[in-house]
Amino acid sequence: MNTPPIVSPAEWEAARRQLLVKEKELTRARDAMAADRRRMPWLAVDKDYKFDGPKGEASLRDLFDGRRQLIVYRAFFGPEVTTYAEGGSYPERACVGCSLVADQVAHPAHLNARNTTLAFASRAPQAEIQDLKKRHGWEHIPWYTITDAFDKDFDVDEWHGTNAFIRDGDRIFRTYLINSRGDEQMGDTWNYLDITALGRQEDWEDSPEGYPQTPPYQWWNYHDAYSASR
C-alpha cells in the first residue's frame, strides 16, 4: 500500500483547506441540482395502482399516508432476485444492495415532519416482508407488495430506483426518479428531501415562489417529539 506523505500540522491544515474549496463547490453544485429538481415538470399519474400492505389492499394514494409527498424505493426482495452476497437466499435475505440501502434509512419522523412519506415496495408477499423487516431491524420502514405494473411503469422493474411523487388535491404526479449510483446517497433525511418537488422547505433554498418554507433549525426535533398529527 502506497501511503500519502506524513506532514506537519500546518501542512496538513493547508492540504485540508485546499480540499475544502472543492467541497464547498460540490455543496453549492448539489444545492443547485436540488433547485433544478424543484423546477422539474410534473407527470400525471392516471392509473390506479394497487399494492398489498400490512393492513390489506392499498392504493398509491394510500401510500402517502395522508401527507403531500411520497418517496418510493423499489427494493428487490422476492423469488426473482439473484443479487445476493455469499450465503444469501430468498426468503431469508433480500438483494444485498437493497439491504444496504434499508440499513441506512434514517428515522422517518423527520421526513414526516416535512409532509413527506417514505415507503419501500417489492414483489414478495407481505408475510415474508414482515419477517424480513423483523429479522433485520427494518420495522420503521413502511413496505408494500407490488401487485401490478407499478415497477415497470416507473422504470424500476429491472433495477432498483427511488421515485418521488406529490399530491395536488385529488391528483398524483411523478416528480423525479433517481437510480443506479444515484441511490447510493439515499437513506439520509436531507438527500431524500433534496429529490422531492418541495425540497427541504427551508427559507434559504432557491425554490419557486409560493413554495412552503420555514427557517432551518426551528422545525427540527427529536424523532419522538414531533406532533402526532404529522
Side-chain angles (χ1 to χ4, degrees), residues 11-123:
E11 290 171 315
W12 187 91
E13 181 61 23
R16 188 192 74 86
R17 287 186 177 277
Q18 271 191 313
L19 280 182
L20 185 60
V21 173
K22 294 183 178 181
E23 286 184 7
K24 288 184 178 295
E25 290 174 353
L26 179 61
T27 298
R28 287 191 288 269
R30 187 171 58 241
D31 290 343
M33 172 64 75
D36 288 343
R37 291 184 185 124
R38 293 191 287 278
R39 290 166 172 83
M40 271 280 294
W42 294 2
L43 178 64
V45 179
D46 294 323
K47 289 177 66 172
D48 185 21
Y49 295 98
K50 297 295 183 184
F51 303 81
D52 283 337
K55 297 179 181 178
E57 186 178 87
S59 65
L60 181 60
R61 185 183 184 86
D62 292 332
L63 268 59
F64 282 78
D65 199 20
R67 301 183 181 93
R68 188 172 185 188
Q69 296 191 126
L70 170 67
I71 299 167
V72 181
Y73 175 68
R74 200 306 194 194
F76 278 85
F77 176 51
E80 78 282 7
V81 176
T82 59
T83 47
Y84 297 106
E86 184 177 355
S89 64
Y90 176 81
E92 286 74 24
R93 301 286 191 182
C95 159
V96 65
C98 296
S99 299
L100 194 154
V101 171
D103 279 337
Q104 298 179 132
V105 171
H107 200 288
H110 306 292
L111 287 174
N112 298 165
R114 294 280 87 177
N115 213 2
T116 303
T117 296
L118 171 69
F120 276 36
S122 298
R123 283 280 175 185

Side-chain angles (χ1 to χ4, degrees), residues 38-39 114 198-216 218-219:
R38 293 191 287 278
R39 290 166 172 83
R114 294 280 87 177
L198 300 180
R200 303 184 188 192
Q201 303 164 54
E202 295 185 339
D203 57 13
W204 62 269
E205 288 181 300
D206 175 13
S207 292
E209 185 176 355
Y211 273 43
Q213 290 186 323
T214 59
Q218 291 187 13
W219 71 269

